[in-house]
Amino acid sequence: MKRYTALMILALCAMTAVGFPQAAQAVEWRFDMAHSGIYFDIQHIYSTVRGRFADFSGTFIFDPNDLAASRIEVVVQTQSVDTQITKRDNHLRSKDFFAVSDYPTMTFTSKAIKHAGGNQYRMVGDLTVKDVTREIEVPFVFHGIKESPMQKGQQVAGFDARLTIDRLAYHVGDGRFVKMGVVGKDVAVTISLEMISDK
């Protein structure tokens, strides 16, 4: 009986290894940097100033059928802030705002991703800017997955997210320019991503 049981266990292990399908892993996607961006809008007196962060990277594992195995981590290089005005960009890099010499990166790390119906999703995670980490919720749209029209065999996934962040809550400024009526405190963030995979 013991010999029979041992043979059965070995047979099951062998079938699992070569005959039975294994659980699929959530796909890890790469940023298509030519078609992805992290943008922001902020009020300056009456006008809206628009900018972006040109340099970001991270880990992007997403499967709409396996959200428990999905996770997203994004690292933004604060030095890459770009509003197309060099003087303003240098001011944003200074200690008045991002203090990039002390805090070269901003990060977001997801904790959970949930389906909110249709193509709508919600992601909870930690956003770290300068010396502050706060849990936030990021609503996003998943546009779907299809083969790239430009490269056979390459898969493309699309995502868009929009949220508003109080920059003062993250010590990006001390409120002086808000009191002067020069720069607002609320930052509208837009994230538009095309992600690619060769799977």
Side-chain angles (χ1 to χ4, degrees):
M1 178 62 72
K2 290 182 179 179
R3 182 172 179 273
Y4 176 77
T5 303
L7 287 172
M8 286 295 293
I9 291 172
L10 287 172
L12 286 170
C13 288
M15 285 191 294
T16 300
V18 299
F20 292 165
Q22 302 296 305
Q25 292 184 338
V27 176
E28 181 165 356
W29 299 87
R30 305 190 309 275
F31 292 97
D32 180 350
M33 294 302 291
H35 304 101
S36 298
I38 299 176
Y39 310 98
F40 62 87
D41 291 353
I42 190 165
Q43 199 73 21
H44 181 275
I45 308 178
Y46 289 121
S47 70
T48 298
V49 172
R50 294 189 169 97
R52 65 170 186 149
F53 289 93
D55 188 359
F56 55 91
S57 58
T59 300
F60 201 105
I61 298 172
F62 181 81
D63 182 345
N65 298 315
D66 191 1
L67 295 178
S70 301
R71 62 185 177 88
I72 297 171
E73 299 172 2
V74 180
V75 179
V76 178
Q77 304 297 321
T78 53
Q79 177 72 27
S80 72
V81 65
D82 176 16
T83 64
Q84 299 188 336
I85 302 293
T86 300
K87 183 178 179 180
R88 179 168 58 210
D89 293 344
N90 288 335
H91 191 196
L92 289 172
R93 295 179 185 119
S94 75
K95 292 186 183 297
D96 281 345
F97 294 98
F98 287 106
V100 301
S101 59
D102 296 321
Y103 305 100
T105 62
M106 300 185 293
T107 63
F108 175 82
T109 303
S110 69
K111 293 179 175 178
I113 302 173
K114 297 181 180 179
H115 188 207
N119 64 354
Q120 305 289 319
Y121 291 78
R122 291 188 174 274
M123 177 168 52
V124 174
D126 287 335
L127 175 64
T128 299
V129 182
K130 297 183 77 172
D131 58 341
V132 178
T133 299
R134 290 176 177 267
E135 184 178 275
I136 63 170
E137 184 175 82
V138 181
F140 69 92
V141 175
F142 169 50
H143 294 293
I145 300 170
K146 66 178 181 179
E147 185 175 71
S148 170
M150 303 296 292
Q151 187 167 336
K152 187 175 180 179
Q154 186 175 84
Q155 298 295 303
V156 180
F159 302 85
D160 278 311
R162 290 179 175 83
L163 65 154
T164 299
I165 295 172
D166 177 355
R167 65 180 177 86
L168 298 184
Y170 292 90
H171 300 167
V172 181
D174 58 7
R176 175 164 47 105
F177 294 112
V178 174
K179 292 177 181 178
M180 291 171 61
V182 177
V183 182
K185 69 179 182 67
D186 293 326
V187 183
V189 179
T190 301
I191 302 166
S192 187
L193 303 175
E194 278 190 12
M195 310 300 294
I196 53 178
S197 171
D198 295 324
K199 287 189 176 183

